[in-house]
Amino acid sequence: MLLAVDCIIFGFDGTDLKLLLIKRGFEPEKGRWSLMGGFVQPKETLEQSAARILKELTGLEDVYMEQLHAFSEVERDPIERTVSVTYTSLIDINKYKKQLNNDFHSEWFPLKKLPSLIFDHRDMVEMAKEKLRYKAAFHPIVFELLPEKFTLPQLQSLYEGIYGALMDKRNFSRKVLSTGLLIKQKDKERLSSKRGAFYYKLDKRKYQTKFNSFLNFIPNPNNLN
Amino acid sequence: MLLAVDCIIFGFDGTDLKLLLIKRGFEPEKGRWSLMGGFVQPKETLEQSAARILKELTGLEDVYMEQLHAFSEVERDPIERTVSVTYTSLIDINKYKKQLNNDFHSEWFPLKKLPSLIFDHRDMVEMAKEKLRYKAAFHPIVFELLPEKFTLPQLQSLYEGIYGALMDKRNFSRKVLSTGLLIKQKDKERLSSKRGAFYYKLDKRKYQTKFNSFLNFIPNPNNLN
DNA sequence: GCAAAAGTGTTTTTCCTACACCCATGC
DNA sequence: GCATGGGTGTAGGAAAAACACTTTTGC
């Protein structure tokens, strides 16, 4: 029985929530889109394995990562019995633009427009989305997806992307600012609007402290998709 | 590399939240307390494996069960490299009293008085407790631990056991009744008090429907342990 | 000058919390 | 008749939701 790891990598580019996929370079299913995966080596933990695979295939290092679920349907890999443990990563797309796209055929897909995936990778992605929604509702986890400096409208569209819901910007800004986790900057982002939107930074010390405190970012149920 | 499953079985006896352990019958670590575990067979999923192990070691069937986490430290089993996927079960102790204790050396331990466990089983239990707290805060999951008919005081002491906190019974009953998930019975439980406490049953149809809706059973932070 | 997105405040409602007394019964 | 645990109601405060107008600036 083989033991594999697959990585579900969410990214945010300031507007859309996306997923990183690679074009599979070998049989079976050569040429189709797939999550980043590989086999666990005898002397590494699953976490180390996931980090290694991510590094090898994308050049990414030191990114947020957590275990999602072990998938074990007997026939999930038609060739050989393989159990796959999945890991979810969150990254800021722009930060890692250079490393990507070069060596491997990897590509970002908007969550709403995913291609067909091999094996049970679609189930994996669905579960990861579900968990991201669940977790983001109570933990300030989404900052992993943002660049160091970001604007409130960007943060809001990230939440809206995660929940597939529209939120009221007045209530939204009150809610996020009330956490005390954001530090307003003096400069503005001027690309996406004429007036420009102030940048904010995450207060990293408070982020550490408050990570496990329950925050409530659940959008109101009327607008849930 | 070996692939194993370990089951963390929580039970409630009407008063205390407990954990089911067995005395390990073989080396290494023979004679010490352990979670229920076993190896995954070539033609079974992890879920089937967990259910089989549970059945074999305890006689329990059709119990609530969900995957917790895969543990993979290289040296976690000192003899052979083994990755273990853990599953959490919730059961009503009294319902299954007969099956237990006979064939295997299994025993219920109050969560607050656990013996020393083999390997990394203690970490597994800690993570399971954490997740139970997390999940029970938003899902009506704890009913899996209760008999068909139960009283509000029993339900409350279950929540108090999970969170290690005391709750106000007036606020508690308002909160749980407001979910509309409970159906009041005409008869009373008369063992634990003179006056007797009304039984309630779970409205199973609503339970199915509402399982994924977010409920808020988080105790107030002042009393968290 | 106007279109487009940013930013801001108030009112209403809902939910949570704190809190204290009466009830039914076995002894 | 009293000790024990069961059951209920209310008032105050905090948080969430609904809601609309003004600001800035590139074109």
Side-chain angles (χ1 to χ4, degrees), chain A residues 153 169-170 174 193 195-196 198:
Chain A
K169 65 180 171 176
R170 291 160 292 189
R174 189 173 330 105
S193 77
R195 182 178 177 179
F198 278 107

Side-chain angles (χ1 to χ4, degrees), chain A residues 99-117:
Chain A
Q99 285 100 317
L100 291 181
N101 282 330
N102 305 336
D103 318 345
F104 294 89
H105 294 282
S106 64
E107 199 173 316
W108 288 104
F109 288 84
L111 267 192
K112 308 224 160 194
K113 293 176 191 166
L114 295 183
S116 137
L117 301 178

Side-chain angles (χ1 to χ4, degrees), chain A residues 47-58:
Chain A
E47 288 72 25
Q48 287 161 356
S49 182
R52 175 180 55 78
I53 289 164
L54 195 63
K55 175 93 188 292
E56 286 174 6
L57 295 183
T58 67

Side-chain angles (χ1 to χ4, degrees), chain B residues 116-151:
Chain B
S116 137
L117 301 177
I118 64 164
F119 301 168
D120 52 358
H121 286 195
R122 186 57 183 247
D123 298 335
M124 294 172 173
V125 172
E126 287 304 315
M127 192 181 286
K129 270 166 63 179
E130 189 57 35
K131 183 165 178 189
L132 176 59
R133 289 181 180 185
Y134 197 91
K135 190 146 186 176
F138 301 106
H139 299 280
I141 192 183
V142 300
F143 298 107
E144 304 290 343
L145 289 156
L146 290 165
E148 196 189 1
K149 298 198 310 188
F150 51 87
T151 68

